[in-house]
Amino acid sequence: MEQALSLSIKNWKEDDRPREKLLNKGRQALTDAELVAILLGSGNREESAVGLSQRILGAANNNLHELGRFSISGLMRFKGIGEAKAIAIAAALELGRRRRVEEALERFRVTSSASVFELMQPVIGELPHEEFWIVYLNNSNRVIRYVQLSKGGITGTLVDIRLAMKTALELGATAIVLAHNHPSGTLTPSDADKKLTQKIRLASESLDIRVLDHLIITEKSYFSFADHRIL
């Protein structure tokens, strides 16, 4: 009983308690573990919320991007993490990801393959399955919208090119950028990647819409068709 009481955050000095620390010193003063501990609210009989958070982060190599890939069931494997706490963690990390995407989109103008990677990596770079997206641009190369066209593969049967062109016309797009991820981490384009790129390029040309690039995206890097002059 005495050990359980000593682990309780309520018994810590006020400046050491995550919630009070946030109020008194600001969000930036907290460690990742302390921020996660606020989401948890409590730990278990052997460790405080901060201790539990440190252990969870340790399992993710202290990397929030990696933690964001944990499933609900994966989070629930930690003692003291039930479904509600697991959902709270997953929701908070998803909000952070969406905030990063929205901030990028507000100021986004495509100027290079690197700028497309900056936009799309948070969207598809860490997924365990393939997704194919199209970024629609205006005549200043500013992003109008980006849309998922397929999930689970990018063969011609799964990507609806007519729908892609219909969306481009509805948005008034004058250019597009193609992007899909390779969960395996390989950056080499497959024959299917190349064939689909050419099909979309030909369809776009007939509507006077430019295909500026096609990016293969992984967690930390990318391959650009335009940079390698195979578009």
Side-chain angles (χ1 to χ4, degrees):
M1 179 65 74
E2 289 181 5
Q3 183 184 10
L5 286 172
S6 67
L7 289 172
S8 174
I9 290 177
K10 293 179 181 178
N11 294 320
W12 295 10
K13 290 182 180 179
E14 185 170 314
D15 283 348
D16 291 334
R17 301 175 197 167
R19 292 180 182 177
E20 285 76 3
K21 187 175 179 180
L22 187 150
L23 287 171
N24 296 331
K25 297 183 179 181
R27 291 171 285 188
Q28 294 79 9
L30 276 69
T31 65
D32 290 346
E34 289 171 331
L35 290 169
V36 173
I38 291 175
L39 294 172
L40 298 182
S42 62
N44 55 47
R45 290 185 179 182
E46 286 80 34
E47 55 194 346
S48 67
V50 173
L52 176 56
S53 299
Q54 289 172 333
R55 189 157 59 87
I56 293 170
L57 284 165
N61 296 317
N62 293 306
N63 185 305
L64 291 175
H65 288 301
E66 192 168 330
L67 180 60
R69 293 201 296 268
F70 280 28
S71 64
I72 299 298
S73 59
L75 289 167
M76 290 173 64
R77 292 193 184 100
F78 294 91
K79 185 177 180 181
I81 302 296
E83 186 176 71
K85 289 182 179 180
I87 289 172
I89 294 172
L93 290 167
E94 176 62 16
L95 282 172
R97 185 193 68 80
R98 292 185 186 186
R99 179 183 177 186
R100 180 182 168 192
V101 170
E102 287 181 4
E103 285 176 346
L105 190 57
E106 284 176 2
R107 58 181 169 79
F108 221 87
R109 182 171 180 266
V110 169
T111 57
S112 64
S113 57
S115 64
V116 179
F117 177 71
E118 181 185 348
L119 175 70
M120 295 304 299
Q121 192 282 334
V123 180
I124 60 176
E126 299 165 21
L127 297 177
H129 57 271
E130 278 195 28
E131 291 189 2
F132 185 91
W133 289 64
I134 293 188
V135 182
Y136 295 94
L137 310 170
N138 64 18
N139 55 12
S140 298
N141 284 353
R142 292 197 178 277
V143 175
I144 303 171
R145 189 181 301 172
Y146 49 97
V147 177
Q148 181 199 89
L149 227 61
S150 77
K151 178 178 179 179
I154 65 159
T155 64
T157 56
L158 292 177
V159 174
D160 191 332
I161 298 174
R162 292 172 300 177
L163 178 60
M165 295 301 103
K166 178 175 180 287
T167 302
L169 293 172
E170 290 173 346
L171 295 174
T174 59
I176 59 175
V177 175
L178 317 177
H180 78 280
N181 63 313
H182 277 181
S184 65
T186 179
L187 290 172
T188 304
S190 66
D191 287 339
D193 296 339
K194 294 175 183 178
K195 288 177 182 177
L196 181 59
T197 303
Q198 290 307 313
K199 282 184 179 180
I200 295 178
R201 185 179 65 80
L202 290 172
S204 298
E205 284 179 351
S206 67
L207 299 172
D208 202 23
I209 296 171
R210 295 169 296 142
V211 177
L212 300 183
D213 204 347
H214 183 173
L215 264 67
I216 297 171
I217 293 174
T218 63
E219 182 178 357
K220 297 181 180 178
S221 191
Y222 68 92
F223 177 94
S224 161
F225 277 57
D227 291 351
H228 286 81
R229 304 190 179 201
I230 58 172
L231 189 62

